[in-house]
Amino acid sequence: MEDNSSWVDGEVRQINDRVISVQVLVMMFLSINFLLILTFFKRKSFYTIARYILFAITLLSDSLILLISNTLYLLAYFNFTIQVWLCINISTVLILYTMVTPVTLTAMTLERYVAICMPLRHAELCSQHIHVHCILIIHSLSSLPCIVFFSSFFASASLSFYKQHKICSLQMYILHRWQGHLWSTVQQIYFLIMVTIIAFCYVEIMKVAKMASGDNKKSTWKGLKTVILHGFQLLLCLIQLWTPFIENYVFQINLNLFINVRFFNYVLFYLTPKCLSPLIYGLRDDAFFHALKKYVVFDLYVKDDKDNEAFEVAQAY
C-alpha cells in the first residue's frame, strides 16, 4: 500500500491522521455551509429579512475563515514558507473575518431582541434599506482591531522584514510584548461590549418570556435559546482570539507541546464554532429548514412556488 507523504525541504513529511481528520472536518463544514448559502440565494424573499441576511454573512465569513485557516494550517504543517508581505495580505482577511463572525452574532442577538421585545418597531428598525448600512457597520467595527494589530506591527518591523520568507502565522507579527498586550486589550474590550449586549438581550427576552402566553410564549422561549447559543458561540470566538498568545507562550517552552496545543486549538476553537451557525439557524429555523429540504434535497432546480414561499418566510421562530 502506498504511504501518504509529502516532500519537504529534502525530507519526506508524513501525512498523519491529524491532517486527514482536519481535512475531512473542513470539507464537511464547507459542504454544509455551501448548501445553506445556496438555499439562501435560491429563495429571494430571504434577502428582505434581517436575520437571514445576518445568517448569510456568518456563513460566508465562516467559510472564508475555514478556507484560509486550513490553507495556513497545511502550509505550516509542511513547513512551506512565503514572503511576509504576502502573509500580511492573507492574515488581514483572516483577522477581519475572524472579528466579523462575533460582531455579526451580536447583531443577530439584537435583531432577536427587537423582534421579541419591540415587535411594533421591528419592521422599522430591520427594514430592507437598513440592511446595507448594517453590513457596512459590521465590517467597519470588525476592521478596527485589524487596523490596531497591523499598525503596531508596521511601527515595529523593518523594511527588510517584509521580504523575508517565513511560515505564515499570527505569532510572527508579535515582535514585542507590548504588541501582544495591546491586541489582547482591544479584544477584551470588544468581548466585554458584546457580552454586555447579549446579557442585556437575554434578561429582557426572559422578562417577555415570563409574561407571554400560547404561541407567543413558545416563540419567545425559542428566541431565548437562540440568544444562549449565540453567547456560547461568542465564548468560543473569544477563546479563538486568545489562541495565538497561548500558542506563542507554549512555543517558547516546548516545540512538541506547541504542535499538540495548536492542533487542539484549531479543531476546538476554529472548526467547532463553524458547525454551530448551521445548527442555530439552518436547522432550528422552520422556514429555512423547509427551504433547505425543498431546494437541496428534493428539487434544487425547480422554480419557486410563490405561495409556499410567502407562507414559509412568514413563519417566525
Side-chain angles (χ1 to χ4, degrees):
M1 183 176 179
E2 186 178 356
D3 186 23
N4 289 326
S5 59
S6 179
W7 188 264
V8 182
D9 294 335
E11 298 180 358
V12 176
R13 182 72 185 269
Q14 297 296 323
I15 301 177
N16 58 26
D17 293 339
R18 286 185 175 183
V19 176
I20 296 175
S21 61
V22 166
Q23 300 315 301
V24 171
L25 288 173
V26 169
M27 291 302 105
M28 182 179 67
F29 293 149
L30 284 176
S31 298
I32 294 172
N33 285 355
F34 174 76
L35 293 177
L36 294 173
I37 292 170
L38 181 64
T39 301
F40 172 81
F41 284 108
K42 287 285 291 183
R43 180 73 77 177
K44 292 183 179 180
S45 51
F46 285 154
Y47 303 172
T48 63
I49 301 178
R51 69 173 182 265
Y52 295 123
I53 294 174
L54 294 173
F55 176 47
I57 293 175
T58 304
L59 289 175
L60 292 169
S61 174
D62 287 348
S63 299
L64 189 59
I65 292 172
L66 281 175
L67 284 171
I68 296 177
S69 63
N70 185 57
T71 301
L72 295 181
Y73 173 79
L74 291 175
L75 292 178
Y77 179 81
F78 293 117
N79 295 323
F80 188 87
T81 61
I82 60 176
Q83 282 192 320
V84 172
W85 66 267
L86 178 58
C87 182
I88 291 174
N89 293 327
I90 297 173
S91 299
T92 299
V93 178
L94 179 61
I95 294 175
L96 172 62
Y97 282 93
T98 299
M99 293 301 301
V100 163
T101 295
V103 173
T104 306
L105 289 175
T106 306
M108 294 168 81
T109 301
L110 285 172
E111 188 276 332
R112 286 293 82 202
Y113 163 75
V114 173
I116 295 172
C117 300
M118 306 168 63
L120 298 179
R121 298 198 62 191
H122 183 259
E124 174 189 351
L125 296 176
C126 300
S127 60
Q128 189 172 357
H129 72 276
I130 296 179
H131 295 164
V132 176
H133 297 155
C134 182
I135 294 173
L136 292 175
I137 291 173
I138 288 173
H139 283 77
S140 297
L141 291 174
S142 302
S143 65
L144 291 178
C146 186
I147 292 172
V148 171
F149 181 74
F150 281 107
S151 295
S152 64
F153 169 73
F154 295 148
S156 305
S158 61
L159 293 177
S160 60
F161 186 81
Y162 300 102
K163 297 181 180 180
Q164 296 179 18
H165 285 75
K166 292 182 175 291
I167 295 177
C168 189
S169 66
L170 297 182
Q171 287 87 357
M172 76 178 205
Y173 300 114
I174 303 176
L175 304 178
H176 305 287
R177 182 172 296 180
W178 64 268
Q179 291 174 288
H181 294 325
L182 176 63
W183 177 235
S184 178
T185 300
V186 172
Q187 290 175 331
Q188 290 179 33
I189 291 174
Y190 265 67
F191 176 74
L192 179 61
I193 294 173
M194 290 186 286
V195 165
T196 301
I197 292 174
I198 289 180
F200 169 79
C201 293
Y202 175 84
V203 172
E204 293 300 315
I205 294 175
M206 177 69 78
K207 293 178 182 178
V208 175
K210 290 182 178 179
M211 294 185 294
S213 60
D215 293 338
N216 288 336
K217 191 176 187 67
K218 181 179 179 181
S219 176
T220 301
W221 279 104
K222 194 168 185 179
L224 188 63
K225 292 177 182 177
T226 302
V227 173
I228 295 174
L229 288 172
H230 284 332
F232 180 66
Q233 277 185 289
L234 189 61
L235 177 62
L236 292 178
C237 289
L238 170 72
I239 300 175
Q240 173 187 320
L241 296 175
W242 282 348
T243 53
F245 306 105
I246 298 173
E247 293 168 4
N248 188 52
Y249 175 77
V250 173
F251 179 75
Q252 300 174 13
I253 300 175
N254 185 277
L255 180 59
N256 290 328
L257 180 61
F258 165 77
I259 295 173
N260 292 330
V261 169
R262 191 172 191 180
F263 174 78
F264 175 81
N265 288 339
Y266 182 68
V267 172
L268 190 61
F269 302 121
Y270 274 84
L271 297 185
T272 302
K274 306 303 177 276
C275 72
L276 291 178
S277 291
L279 173 64
I280 294 173
Y281 273 84
L283 300 180
R284 293 179 68 249
D285 185 275
D286 295 334
F288 200 93
F289 184 62
H290 187 83
L292 178 66
K293 291 191 298 182
K294 175 179 173 60
Y295 288 105
V296 177
V297 179
F298 297 113
D299 53 346
L300 179 63
Y301 301 103
V302 176
K303 293 183 179 179
D304 292 351
D305 185 314
K306 294 183 179 180
D307 294 334
N308 288 337
E309 177 180 277
F311 171 75
E312 292 164 10
V313 175
Q315 295 182 43
Y317 76 91

